[in-house]
Amino acid sequence: YHHKNKMTPVAQNDTSVNKIRSIRWQRGQMIGRGAFGRVYMALNLDTGELMAMKEVDGTSVSSRERSALENEIAMMKDLQHANIVRYLGVDNSADDLLAVFLEFVPGGSLRSL
């Protein structure tokens, strides 16, 4: 099952990429589960870049969990470091479904180390 949609990435601090643009993406196979939902591989159809997509069903999280997720997204938008997974954007165009896009880092999770 593949899902095609568009996400809106956050504007970067670099003034040369301050324009927010839509990105066409396609969902791939599930690669894990997180605290708020499932994690899938996703493909940026414009660049071919692989991404991790955290998909959260808004109907299955409490308002407290939703608030925690929004705080996580807000924090990740501002983090930029070589050793921190990069936040790429969010797609909230589907009713009751939120897709958070992150840099894909191969090799599994910290839990598997």
Side-chain angles (χ1 to χ4, degrees):
Y1 173 80
H2 293 282
H3 178 76
K4 289 184 182 179
N5 214 330
K6 293 183 178 181
M7 74 170 187
T8 303
V10 292
Q12 302 294 318
N13 289 336
D14 181 3
T15 57
S16 66
V17 287
N18 270 342
K19 291 183 181 177
I20 296 177
R21 59 186 170 80
S22 292
I23 296 175
R24 296 177 314 118
W25 60 273
Q26 183 171 347
R27 184 173 76 179
Q29 70 180 22
M30 187 173 74
I31 56 175
R33 292 178 187 217
F36 295 109
R38 294 185 173 117
V39 180
Y40 295 89
M41 289 291 301
L43 177 66
N44 180 326
L45 295 173
D46 297 318
T47 66
E49 176 184 18
L50 288 177
M51 305 176 287
M53 188 246 324
K54 184 187 286 189
E55 185 178 79
V56 180
D57 179 356
T59 62
S60 67
V61 295
S62 69
S63 59
R64 185 176 185 191
E65 290 169 326
R66 187 176 199 84
S67 178
L69 181 60
E70 289 169 359
N71 287 339
E72 177 185 338
I73 292 168
M75 181 183 67
M76 290 191 74
K77 285 180 182 178
D78 296 329
L79 294 176
Q80 292 185 1
H81 188 277
N83 296 332
I84 298 175
V85 173
R86 210 169 20 109
Y87 169 83
L88 300 173
V90 63
D91 180 354
N92 57 2
S93 62
D95 291 337
D96 295 322
L97 192 65
L98 179 69
V100 180
F101 294 88
L102 304 167
E103 171 185 21
F104 174 69
V105 181
S109 68
L110 290 176
R111 181 177 288 168
S112 65
L113 294 177

